[in-house]
Amino acid sequence: MDSNTLYYSLDLVSGIGYTLNGEQRAALQTSLLLLKKNYKFTRVMFWGKILGIKDDYFIAQGKGDDELKDKKFLYSFNCMEWHLLPPADDRMVGEVSRAAKGRFTGDPSYEYTASPLQREGDEASEEVVATKLTEERRLAVTVHLIDEEASVVPRGAFNRTHLGLMQTNRCFEGLSHAEAGKLEHFLHFAKPKKLKKKFIQELADLDPSIDFLDSLNDDIPNGQWSLQLENAGRVCVIRSLLWLGMTFYHVPMTPQHGYVYMGDGCKNLDLPFML
């Protein structure tokens, strides 16, 4: 959620059970502005909080000229001092999936040991030496995966310019109340994966300037999103059942929208059996 509307946005998603106290809100209000200036970000977002056993990680996200590609993540323990997270790649994702289990400890220097892979060759098997990774790297991968799989924006909130950059749509005035009640009008705020697989007939009905992201309605398994209209129907709230703690809000007929994650950073792998 945008740092400029942090107080207002946190109140709209307070139904998740997790929130920030007054001291943390005041610290974020100041430190995020300094973060934007020091790193020369176009926008700074409060991404959320990952709960740890010893300490909690507060996560911020900085944006560049391209809202989708130019983004960096930072973490803090006191909402004042921020540390840059390393970018996550496929190799890091594989190491974390093999090594990191259970809750975060809250210590970024804590080391996990990745179990060695067993690769079978033509004649003999080749064993890969076990590798170690810090919790800071696990945090970077977890934040990356949650942002790729569970970040949400309303349709039309962002457009693609003639230079190919994805930027905030200044003409966006919000979804109608009828549109806000349907999951098909909300999109993944990540690089599209399913859009190219659509049939030509389906692509013909899309507007290329705003329909360049995957729809939540196409996600498998079906039913991993919970959409509700709260505050007497004045606020649309979408919760992810795959990443418990990810909450999106949108106020219909206004450009106000955002999302925040507050959870333990563990994926709900039992979801297919719960639906």
Side-chain angles (χ1 to χ4, degrees):
M1 50 183 61
D2 199 304
S3 58
N4 295 328
T5 59
L6 186 60
Y7 275 76
Y8 170 76
S9 302
L10 285 172
D11 291 336
L12 293 178
V13 297
S14 58
I16 62 178
Y18 296 110
T19 185
L20 303 177
N21 57 38
E23 182 180 353
Q24 292 168 345
R25 293 189 183 197
L28 284 173
Q29 200 73 24
T30 303
S31 65
L32 292 181
L33 292 177
L34 295 175
L35 204 63
K36 179 180 178 180
K37 178 181 178 181
N38 294 337
Y39 283 87
K40 298 181 180 180
F41 291 134
T42 304
R43 285 202 307 157
V44 173
M45 321 286 289
F46 174 64
W47 187 88
K49 179 173 70 171
I50 292 184
L51 308 176
I53 298 175
K54 179 182 176 182
D55 284 309
D56 299 333
Y57 294 100
F58 296 89
I59 310 297
Q61 185 185 66
K63 306 269 186 163
D65 293 332
D66 192 305
E67 291 273 346
L68 193 61
K69 298 178 181 179
D70 301 334
K71 56 184 178 182
K72 296 180 180 180
F73 293 99
L74 304 97
Y75 71 94
S76 173
F77 294 108
N78 55 10
C79 300
M80 290 296 294
E81 300 174 356
W82 296 93
H83 310 278
L84 193 65
L85 280 173
D89 52 24
D90 293 338
R91 180 179 179 182
M92 286 176 59
V93 173
E95 291 176 349
V96 168
S97 64
R98 299 196 310 272
K101 305 294 181 183
R103 291 187 57 186
F104 282 80
T105 65
D107 181 7
S109 62
Y110 180 83
E111 290 188 346
Y112 299 89
T113 302
S115 56
L117 289 174
Q118 193 76 16
R119 298 178 181 176
E120 295 185 0
D122 296 332
E123 299 179 356
S125 61
E126 178 185 356
E127 187 175 298
V128 180
V129 180
T131 58
K132 292 185 177 181
L133 60 97
T134 62
E135 186 164 275
E136 184 181 57
R137 292 169 68 86
R138 180 193 177 187
L139 180 65
V141 169
T142 302
V143 171
H144 167 75
L145 291 177
I146 296 175
D147 200 65
E148 285 285 314
E149 299 178 7
S151 57
V152 181
V153 294
R155 179 178 180 267
F158 294 88
N159 60 2
R160 187 161 51 189
T161 67
H162 64 284
L163 298 176
L165 299 177
M166 189 180 112
Q167 298 179 342
T168 303
N169 187 1
R170 298 182 181 180
C171 299
F172 179 68
E173 298 181 352
L175 301 176
S176 65
H177 289 277
E179 292 174 334
K182 298 179 181 180
L183 202 61
E184 62 190 39
H185 294 287
F186 297 95
L187 312 172
H188 280 282
F189 196 41
K191 185 178 179 179
K193 299 178 181 178
K194 302 177 182 178
L195 192 63
K196 297 180 180 180
K197 299 180 181 179
K198 289 182 175 291
F199 294 106
I200 297 179
Q201 294 88 339
E202 297 176 297
L203 294 175
D205 297 330
L206 303 180
D207 185 346
S209 63
I210 59 176
D211 293 320
F212 51 89
L213 300 173
D214 291 331
S215 172
L216 300 188
N217 205 36
D218 298 331
D219 286 354
I220 299 174
N222 188 19
Q224 63 178 278
W225 298 97
S226 172
L227 189 153
Q228 297 174 335
L229 295 176
E230 300 182 357
N231 293 337
R234 292 177 295 179
V235 182
C236 171
V237 177
I238 300 178
R239 295 181 175 89
S240 173
L241 303 181
L242 188 63
W243 290 99
L244 298 174
M246 173 58 83
T247 305
F248 163 84
Y249 80 92
H250 173 53
V251 182
M253 308 303 294
T254 72
Q256 294 293 334
H257 67 89
Y259 60 88
V260 66
Y261 176 80
M262 292 192 183
D264 57 8
C266 298
K267 193 174 185 178
N268 183 18
L269 300 177
D270 296 329
L271 179 62
F273 306 98
M274 300 168 61
L275 298 175

